[in-house]
Amino acid sequence: GRAGVRSMLDALTAKVGPKGTRDRAIVRCLFDLGLRRGEVCSLDVEHFDAKAGTLAILGKGRAQRETLTLAPTTKAALVAWLSLRGATPGALFWALDRSSKGHRLTGTAVYKIVRALGVEVGLKVRPHGLRHTAITMALDATNGDVRRAAKFSRHRDLRTLSVYDDARTDMAGEVAALVAAAV
């Protein structure tokens, strides 16, 4: 939820250095843009346009990259990471440990980064949980406008969003209360 994401970002803000800066940029991409971990892992430096404030992502099942406009917090996190990483071409996010430094992060690595951060703040978190929270919050912010939320989440089928919307509103629980009250 929102409080959990805030706790994670606060913990990352307290971390100085390349790892904290990289991880903050990753969490910002996962949450602020509702990206999947595979979308994050496929990013190269050339896909980020700091001047335009955009990021070109390769969505799930897509053949071409789609350009997304960044929120100021996301842009700032990416600029901070690139100031440490450098602008050399290649993977936007890479490993920092001695054995694989400079290699592109894998989906498993992103999963472990998010899980460890969650444990640090007392939560059980996975990358898709950040996406799920972002989509649920998008539905809340748009007053349940599934078309706008689908544009944000890049879901092709609006029915997929019904899972997020049901979790957001608990329609099944409301109907259960109506049924129970009828007898």
Side-chain angles (χ1 to χ4, degrees):
R2 181 183 314 219
V5 174
R6 182 76 262 151
S7 295
M8 293 172 71
L9 290 169
D10 288 346
L12 287 169
T13 300
K15 292 183 179 185
V16 179
K19 185 173 178 354
T21 304
R22 179 202 63 190
D23 294 354
R24 183 172 31 262
I26 289 170
V27 169
R28 281 286 176 195
C29 286
L30 291 167
F31 178 73
D32 295 352
L33 300 172
L35 294 185
R36 297 169 178 94
R37 64 180 163 156
E39 293 167 340
V40 169
C41 294
S42 74
L43 292 169
D44 288 337
V45 172
E46 69 186 47
H47 300 138
F48 173 55
D49 184 339
K51 190 172 185 176
T54 61
L55 192 62
I57 64 141
L58 185 60
K60 180 180 175 183
R62 307 283 164 90
Q64 293 184 330
R65 289 194 174 270
E66 176 183 356
T67 301
L68 304 178
T69 302
L70 301 173
T73 52
T74 317
K75 178 182 172 182
L78 289 169
V79 167
W81 164 238
L82 280 173
S83 73
L84 296 175
R85 180 210 176 275
T88 55
L92 179 59
F93 297 112
W94 60 26
L96 297 171
D97 60 285
R98 287 183 186 166
S99 64
S100 54
K101 188 172 183 162
H103 291 98
R104 181 181 300 276
L105 285 181
T106 63
T108 301
V110 170
Y111 186 89
K112 288 178 179 179
I113 288 167
V114 171
R115 286 292 284 215
L117 181 58
V119 167
E120 186 179 320
V121 298
L123 300 169
K124 185 175 182 180
V125 185
R126 52 195 173 84
H128 191 78
L130 294 172
R131 175 174 164 76
H132 190 99
T133 298
I135 295 168
T136 302
M137 287 177 66
L139 283 163
D140 284 341
T142 62
N143 206 18
D145 186 337
V146 292
R147 292 199 185 283
R148 288 172 66 196
K151 192 76 171 154
F152 168 75
S153 67
R154 296 162 323 282
H155 283 112
R156 290 182 177 164
D157 189 347
L158 293 180
R159 292 176 294 184
T160 306
L161 284 176
S162 66
V163 173
Y164 297 91
D165 199 31
D166 286 349
R168 178 181 76 91
T169 59
D170 190 21
M171 285 186 253
E174 292 171 14
V175 172
L178 292 171
V179 169
V183 281

